[in-house]
Amino acid sequence: MVRHWLVPAILLFSTALPATPASAQEQPKAAVTVAKPVVRDVVDSDEFIGRFEAVDEVTLRSRVGGYLDQVNFKDGAMVKKGDPLFVIDQRPFKTALDVATSSLEVAKSTLTFAESEFARTETLVQKGTLSVSTLDDRRRELQSGQANLRGAEASLARAKLDMEYTTILAPLSGRIDRRLISVGNLVQADQTALTTIVSLDPIDFYFDVDERRLLNYARVAREHGSNLQEGGGSLDVFVTIADSTEKPFKGKLDFAENRVDQETGTMRVRARFDNPNFVLQPGLFGRVEVSASNTYKGILVPDEAIGSDQDQRVVYVVAEDGSFSTKPVRLGPRLYGYRVIREGLTGDEMLVVNGLTRLRPGVIVDPKLVVLPPEAATAENGQ
């Protein structure tokens, strides 16, 4: 029987292998980018959706009736206050003006005769030639002539006014709509809509604010020595429109309604914007950011530097020896392209801002130091 001595052979083979160096068992360092948080003056902001509306808007109607004779504007053009836009057929009104002018001349002539008759009768009564009753008759004719003159003057003034109303002027400067009626159609006084005009510069933006944030805005307004309903506390706002190539437009709150809507629990607030290039249009939707606090020192970090640990948000702090630890933080709004840290940091920590996926328990980091700019290139609020 042949015996196989396997165990000694295996032992001899294992003892012949070279020993593995301890350094080869060490984990390599994790290359990460580290930086200190940005510490700067910040103002918190809230975001709402709203719509632009014209400061002034008017629907043009004629004050006199008649057939439309002229349209003196181009559809969609910019008009100035006082520009002639429509003309109603003036011939009937010119005839009425001529009649009123003639009636005034007759009334003046009649009054002149009544005045002379009254003066002559008064002289004769004093001499005893005529009776007092005759003088009373002449006085009545004089008073009637004076009343007829006033009536004729009023009729002439009304005829002139109607003649003036046949030319419909622009009551404000702004963008005019298309004409809603063509030449030759009958225009009913105070009824037929001819067109509309909206002002464009400045322009208003309306949005609804919930009760909690409304109270905060009111407090900030009082700290500014103002009132939310009277001037809006001069709080800055920024509006972004659908066109991503347009930078946010800066304006200020200038009005809030005088009560909270009981059904929605919100109050409508207004901001006003300069619009010299007429980019903003009435009816346009926008996203508004409202300053929700006074200026304070804020600690800002990139969103890429924030991780999750179960139900809390954390950042990774690097020590001088290359080790790292997590620190729980409470997040705030996004400002200047960064995330505001409400609690958890002092601003002096060295944080991992890139390479979080390489971090494992016990790993030593190989940090590459960078300096974060005061405002990231991806800032969304234009501040």
Side-chain angles (χ1 to χ4, degrees):
M1 178 182 294
V2 179
R3 297 179 180 273
H4 296 281
W5 303 94
L6 296 177
V7 174
I10 293 174
L11 293 174
L12 290 173
F13 179 77
S14 62
T15 57
L17 291 176
T20 301
S23 60
Q25 299 176 357
E26 296 178 357
Q27 295 182 358
K29 292 184 177 181
V32 296
T33 304
V34 299
K36 286 188 175 183
V38 174
V39 180
R40 59 171 294 175
D41 291 338
V42 298
V43 177
D44 289 347
S45 63
D46 296 322
E47 187 174 287
F48 305 93
I49 299 297
R51 187 193 295 270
F52 286 98
E53 294 186 15
V55 175
D56 296 306
E57 179 177 355
V58 63
T59 299
L60 286 186
R61 290 180 171 86
S62 176
R63 297 189 181 187
V64 295
Y67 288 90
L68 187 62
D69 188 44
Q70 298 177 28
V71 177
N72 298 324
F73 66 90
K74 182 179 179 182
D75 290 351
M78 292 295 297
V79 297
K80 295 181 179 180
K81 182 177 181 179
D83 287 350
L85 304 177
F86 297 93
V87 178
I88 305 295
D89 186 1
Q90 296 180 338
R91 290 172 296 178
F93 299 94
K94 188 177 184 304
T95 300
L97 180 60
D98 292 340
V99 171
T101 302
S102 300
S103 298
L104 179 61
E105 294 175 354
V106 171
K108 288 180 178 180
S109 176
T110 302
L111 178 60
T112 300
F113 178 76
E115 289 174 343
S116 62
E117 283 294 305
F118 177 78
R120 183 167 49 254
T121 303
E122 187 178 30
T123 302
L124 294 175
V125 169
Q126 291 175 354
K127 293 179 179 180
T129 306
L130 292 177
S131 64
V132 176
S133 61
T134 304
L135 180 62
D136 292 338
D137 292 338
R138 299 296 179 267
R139 180 180 289 109
R140 184 177 60 254
E141 292 173 357
L142 174 61
Q143 293 174 345
S144 177
Q146 292 172 339
N148 289 336
L149 178 62
R150 289 193 297 270
E153 290 174 340
S155 297
L156 179 60
R158 180 54 189 264
K160 288 182 178 179
L161 194 60
D162 287 345
M163 184 67 179
E164 181 181 335
Y165 286 157
T166 59
T167 301
I168 302 169
L169 308 178
L172 56 90
S173 299
R175 178 84 63 188
I176 196 168
D177 197 5
R178 64 181 179 88
R179 57 182 178 177
L180 302 178
I181 185 171
S182 299
V183 171
N185 282 285
L186 177 63
V187 176
Q188 298 287 344
D190 300 322
Q191 296 183 20
T192 306
L194 302 176
T195 189
T196 59
I197 303 175
V198 294
S199 64
L200 294 179
D201 184 25
I203 192 169
D204 288 336
F205 186 84
Y206 287 88
F207 57 99
D208 295 329
V209 178
D210 59 84
E211 292 184 27
R212 179 182 62 82
R213 286 182 283 191
L214 176 67
L215 295 174
N216 182 39
Y217 299 156
R219 176 181 55 81
V220 175
R222 289 194 299 270
E223 291 174 355
H224 288 178
S226 182
N227 187 284
L228 194 60
Q229 278 75 22
E230 300 176 9
S234 298
L235 300 182
D236 291 333
V237 298
F238 293 85
V239 163
T240 304
I241 58 177
D243 187 357
S244 60
T245 62
E246 291 287 348
K247 294 182 179 180
F249 298 86
K250 183 178 180 180
K252 286 185 178 295
L253 291 186
D254 74 331
F255 169 76
E257 292 183 345
N258 59 1
R259 63 174 61 88
V260 176
D261 190 299
Q262 295 181 0
E263 295 183 359
T264 63
T266 61
M267 179 181 287
R268 182 146 296 180
V269 181
R270 183 181 73 194
R272 182 158 292 182
F273 294 82
D274 292 330
N275 190 30
N277 298 324
F278 310 137
V279 175
L280 305 175
Q281 298 291 319
L284 193 68
F285 277 99
R287 189 176 72 245
V288 62
E289 289 187 359
V290 185
S291 301
S293 72
N294 291 319
T295 303
Y296 67 95
K297 287 291 182 181
I299 300 174
L300 296 82
V301 301
D303 281 331
E304 296 78 11
I306 302 172
S308 298
D309 184 6
Q310 295 182 358
D311 61 344
Q312 62 182 359
R313 292 304 184 95
V314 298
V315 294
Y316 295 84
V317 180
V318 179
E320 294 182 358
D321 60 359
S323 63
F324 69 91
S325 61
T326 60
K327 227 178 184 184
V329 293
R330 186 166 70 89
L331 305 184
R334 183 173 171 82
L335 297 174
Y336 308 103
Y338 297 110
R339 181 66 59 181
V340 176
I341 302 299
R342 296 290 195 200
E343 295 178 0
L345 296 179
T346 64
D348 296 326
E349 297 87 351
M350 193 66 66
L351 307 179
V352 178
V353 297
N354 193 5
L356 267 62
T357 57
R358 304 187 185 98
L359 301 180
R360 297 289 184 275
V363 169
I364 300 299
V365 301
D366 181 16
K368 177 184 178 183
L369 181 63
V370 297
V371 178
L372 298 177
E375 183 172 348
T378 56
E380 298 175 353
N381 58 357
Q383 298 188 43

